[in-house]
Amino acid sequence: MKKNKLALALIISGLCAAGTANAANDRYIIQVDNNKKGVVKALAKKLGGDIKVDGNGFIAAQFTGHDLASVKGLLNNPHIKLVEEDQKRVPMALYNDDAGNAMQQQLTPYAVYQSQADQVTFDANAGMKVCVIDSGLDATNPDFIWGNITGDNDSGTGNWYDNGGPHGTHVAGTIGAADNNVGVVGMAPGVAMHIIKVFNAEGWGYSSDLAHAADLCSQAGANIISMSLGGGGSNSTESNAFATFTSAGGLVVAAAGNDGNSVRSYPAGYPSVMMVGANDANNQIADFSQFPSCTSGRGKRATTDETICVEVTAGGVDTLSTYPAGMATSASLAADGAGFATSSMENSGNASGTAYYMGTAESVDAGAAGKICMIDRGNISFYDKVNNCENSGGIGAVIINNEAGMLYATLGETNDTTIPAVGAALEDRSALLSSTTIGIAIGTSDYGFMSGTSMATPAVSGIAALVWSNHPECTGTEIRDALKATAEDQGASGHDVYFGHGIVKAADADAYLTANGCAGGGDNGGGTTPGGDDISLSTSGYKSKGTKYIDLSWSGAATSTVDVYRNGSKVGSVANTNSYTDTITTKGGGTYTYQVCEAQNTTVCSNNSTVTF
C-alpha cells in the first residue's frame, strides 16, 4: 500500500521497535548520588563522554566507539553506583489509514463506545492530569483546551508544542480531545495534560529520557503517565523511575508493542507499569498486538507475574483522533444525501453526480460519462478500474470491497489518474448501489486514523483519568485494579496473554468503585489477599556457590518500610526501596512464595509470587 514518507517512517518504527532498541548506540546511564554528580560528570567529560541527560540520581552520556565493558572500565569511580546501557525507545504506531472527515462536525471514535467512556461524566474539578511522553503536540489543533495543557522543552527534541510528526498529537487527542462540537472527543474530554517530547528528528529516544521524563511528570503534578512507545531491553534506572511514580500513588500505562509476537517490550514490561494491548472494533485482538508471557525464568526458577504481561486491551485498530494541522487526508462519501463511511484512495478533489454501476470496470463504458462510477473490487487492479472510469468520462469513483470491512487501498506508485477515488465497505454495497446520486470529496484534514498499541494505550490512560476523576480518593494502583476487575473477558476464558483480563469498561469500573470503595471487592484481578493487590510484586531466583538468592521487586506500597513474608512467615521489615534480595543458605531445592505488605498491615499486601529451585 502506498504511504507518504511520514507514514512509512511510522510503519518502520513500529515494526522494528524490538530490533532497533537493542542496537549498540554508545550511550550509557550512570547512576550516582545527586551530591556526587558534579564529580562524575567532570570525569565523564574528561574521558570523552558527551552528557545527554542530567536526571535525578543519574546522568546519561554518549561514549563514541566504546562498549559497555570499556565504559565501566573508564568510569572506575567509588561514587558511581551502576553503569548500564541506555536503551532506545520508539513510537508504537503500526500504520495510519487516512480516512474520515471531522472538520465539520464532532465524531466519536468507536473505542469510546466500546469502552463505555460515553456513559461516564468526566469531573473536571477533580484535578486529574495525564503526562503524555511522546513526540510533542501540535499547537494549532482546535480540539484541545489549551489552558489545561503544559509541557517541558528538551534541548535535543525542541519545543513540546511543536509536533514531531502526528503520533503525539494523535495520542493526546485520544486521551483528552475536547467535547466542543468539532473533530473528535477524547476518553476524558478536556483533561489537563503535561506534554514531554522525547523523540528526536529521527523518531526515537532513550530509556534515560523516559526516566528523566517520569521525574518531570511528577514535578508537574501528574496522576497518570501515558507512553505509546517502547523497545527491547530493560534497565534499572528506567524501572526505578516508574516504580517511584507508582509508589507515590500514580499510574503508569504503556504499549505492549506492535510486532505480533511474544517479545516483552519496555517500559510496559516493568511490574510498576500497566501493559496495554490492542483490539479492534469487533472485540477481536489486533494481529499486531504483542503478547508476552506472564512467566519469567526457566525450569525451577520460573515465576509467574501478571504485571509483566498484557493486563487489559482497548481499541487500537483504525482509531480516529487529532492530527497536526492539514497533515491527515480525509474523505467523505454521501449517497442520496446520507453519509457513509469511506477511505481515501487517491486524487484530492470533489465530485458529485448520478451514480453509474460499472461492475468490476474491466473496460471503458460510455454510460459512465459525467457520472460517479460505482465499482466492485476484483479481477483487475484498482488503478485499472479508476483509469477505465476516467477514460469513460466518469468524474469520480467508488470502489466497494468484496470482503467484510472497509476497503483501504491506493492506486499504486505510477498512478496518473486525476478523478477522486474512494473506498467503501462491503456492508454498504446494497445501499450504495440502490442510490441515485453520489457525492465524494478528498482533502486535507486535522483528523485521521492510526492503528497500533499506541492508540490503545492513550485510550486506557484516558479511561483511567475519567474513572479516577469520580473517585479521586483512590490511588493509581487501585484504579489499575478496578480496570482489570471489570474488564470484559475476551479470547480464551479468563485471563490470557492476548487480552489480559479483557477490554476496559469505564462505566463498569466506575460502578465497581462506587459499590466497593477503592480497595475493591476482593482480589482485584488475581490477588490472594482480601482487599489486596494494592502492591505489585515480582520475584526471580538464582544460585551462587550453593546459596539461594531471591530478588524481590515491588511497587505500590505507601509506607516507608514494608514487611516481607516468605511461605507465610515474616522474614523482616525492610526499607521501601521497591527492591530486596532474600538469601537462603539451606542446601537442596525448594519452593518459596513471597508477599510484601505495608508496614504492620496484613491487608494492604501484594500478590503472591513464587520461586522454585
Side-chain angles (χ1 to χ4, degrees):
M1 193 187 311
K2 182 180 178 183
K3 297 284 182 179
N4 59 37
K5 291 182 178 179
L6 180 58
L8 181 60
L10 287 174
I11 292 171
I12 294 171
S13 65
L15 289 175
C16 300
T20 59
N22 287 322
N25 52 53
D26 302 336
R27 185 162 146 161
Y28 306 93
I29 300 176
I30 304 158
Q31 292 184 13
V32 57
D33 286 336
N34 287 330
N35 61 351
K36 302 296 183 182
K37 195 185 294 180
V39 175
V40 174
K41 287 170 65 177
L43 175 61
K45 291 179 180 178
K46 183 178 180 181
L47 296 172
D50 182 10
I51 306 298
K52 299 295 187 181
V53 178
D54 187 345
N56 183 16
F58 72 91
I59 61 172
Q62 184 172 14
F63 290 82
T64 302
H66 290 282
D67 61 14
L68 179 60
S70 66
V71 171
K72 285 182 176 180
L74 289 171
L75 297 176
N76 186 12
N77 185 285
H79 298 313
I80 294 175
K81 297 179 179 180
L82 177 70
V83 180
E84 57 187 348
E85 291 185 9
D86 199 355
Q87 303 286 350
K88 283 187 177 181
R89 299 293 181 244
V90 299
M92 289 290 192
L94 188 69
Y95 55 86
N96 59 314
D97 293 304
D98 295 337
N101 184 1
M103 299 295 282
Q104 303 299 323
Q105 65 182 109
Q106 180 168 283
L107 303 178
T108 300
Y110 77 84
V112 171
Y113 295 121
Q114 186 179 53
S115 66
Q116 304 174 334
D118 59 319
Q119 301 176 34
V120 180
T121 300
F122 176 67
D123 185 353
N125 297 317
M128 289 293 111
K129 182 180 286 187
V130 182
C131 193
V132 184
I133 304 175
D134 210 282
S135 62
L137 178 61
D138 182 59
T140 67
N141 193 290
D143 218 357
F144 295 99
I145 300 176
W146 286 97
N148 291 348
I149 301 176
T150 56
D152 276 304
N153 290 332
D154 184 282
S155 59
T157 59
N159 296 324
W160 64 266
Y161 48 81
D162 293 331
N163 76 83
H167 193 267
T169 301
H170 196 278
V171 163
T174 296
I175 294 171
D179 187 0
N180 58 358
N181 298 317
V182 68
V184 296
V185 60
M187 295 293 181
V191 67
M193 289 186 280
H194 189 75
I195 309 299
I196 300 180
K197 186 177 180 180
V198 296
F199 296 130
N200 57 25
E202 287 74 36
W204 46 263
Y206 285 96
S207 55
S208 63
D209 296 318
L210 302 190
H212 184 46
D215 191 46
L216 294 175
C217 292
S218 181
Q219 293 178 34
N223 309 88
I224 299 168
I225 292 176
S226 185
M227 295 179 291
S228 294
L229 48 81
S234 62
N235 64 56
S236 62
T237 303
E238 185 180 48
S239 177
N240 290 340
F242 296 121
T244 298
F245 187 89
T246 300
S247 295
L251 173 64
V252 186
V253 185
N258 299 325
D259 286 339
N261 57 30
S262 61
V263 173
R264 184 172 294 110
S265 178
Y266 295 92
Y270 299 125
S272 63
V273 180
M274 188 176 195
M275 184 187 295
V276 175
N279 57 259
D280 64 16
N282 297 312
N283 288 353
Q284 301 298 309
I285 198 70
D287 58 7
F288 54 75
S289 189
Q290 282 173 225
F291 48 93
S293 172
C294 300
T295 300
S296 60
R298 297 180 180 179
K300 294 181 178 180
R301 297 184 181 180
T303 59
T304 299
D305 179 4
E306 71 168 42
T307 65
I308 63 172
C309 51
V310 172
E311 296 185 43
V312 294
T313 67
V317 179
D318 297 329
T319 60
L320 179 65
S321 188
T322 47
Y323 258 66
M327 195 174 284
T329 299
S330 67
S332 62
L333 167 63
D336 288 343
F340 287 84
T342 188
S343 68
S344 168
M345 295 181 70
E346 298 282 357
N347 308 328
S348 61
N350 304 320
S352 60
T354 302
Y356 183 80
Y357 179 56
M358 282 188 71
T360 52
E362 296 177 49
S363 61
V364 173
D365 183 344
K371 300 174 182 177
I372 304 293
C373 303
M374 308 300 292
I375 303 171
D376 282 323
R377 179 182 183 179
N379 299 341
I380 62 174
S381 72
F382 299 127
Y383 166 79
D384 288 334
K385 292 175 184 292
V386 176
N387 191 47
N388 285 338
C389 171
E390 186 168 7
N391 289 337
S392 301
I395 59 175
V398 179
I399 302 181
I400 304 171
N401 210 352
N402 59 3
E403 58 185 28
M406 178 61 62
L407 173 62
Y408 296 100
T410 68
L411 303 186
E413 297 289 344
T414 59
N415 172 51
D416 57 3
T417 64
T418 61
I419 60 174
V422 300
L426 176 63
E427 291 81 352
D428 294 328
R429 183 176 185 275
S430 295
L432 291 172
L433 294 185
S434 64
S435 300
T436 302
T437 61
I438 298 289
I440 60 176
I442 299 176
T444 61
S445 176
D446 300 348
Y447 303 89
F449 289 79
M450 283 189 186
S451 294
T453 53
S454 269
M455 287 59 253
T457 296
V460 172
S461 300
I463 291 164
L466 174 66
V467 173
W468 203 350
S469 77
N470 289 280
H471 304 275
E473 70 279 7
C474 298
T475 67
T477 298
E478 289 166 339
I479 298 299
R480 178 180 181 176
D481 289 339
L483 294 179
K484 292 191 292 184
T486 57
E488 180 183 327
D489 188 26
Q490 293 292 334
S493 180
H495 184 276
D496 66 83
V497 295
Y498 296 97
F499 284 95
H501 288 277
I503 301 173
V504 287
K505 297 291 178 179
D508 291 345
D510 178 58
Y512 173 86
L513 290 168
T514 298
N516 300 295
C518 295
D523 65 8
N524 290 342
T528 56
T529 302
D533 258 13
D534 297 278
I535 304 170
S536 296
L537 172 68
S538 62
T539 56
S540 62
Y542 58 95
K543 282 185 177 180
S544 178
K545 298 181 179 179
T547 299
K548 295 183 281 288
Y549 298 93
I550 299 90
D551 290 336
L552 285 73
S553 178
W554 66 87
S555 63
T559 52
S560 60
T561 61
V562 295
D563 296 332
V564 177
Y565 292 85
R566 181 205 311 139
N567 293 342
S569 298
K570 184 175 177 180
V571 175
S573 297
V574 301
N576 183 16
T577 59
N578 300 310
S579 63
Y580 169 73
T581 299
D582 189 30
T583 302
I584 301 174
T585 57
T586 56
K587 296 185 180 300
T591 297
Y592 304 93
T593 298
Y594 288 87
Q595 192 172 43
V596 172
C597 300
E598 290 189 347
Q600 301 179 352
N601 192 326
T602 57
T603 59
V604 183
C605 297
S606 72
N607 53 290
N608 288 326
S609 186
T610 301
V611 176
T612 301
F613 290 91

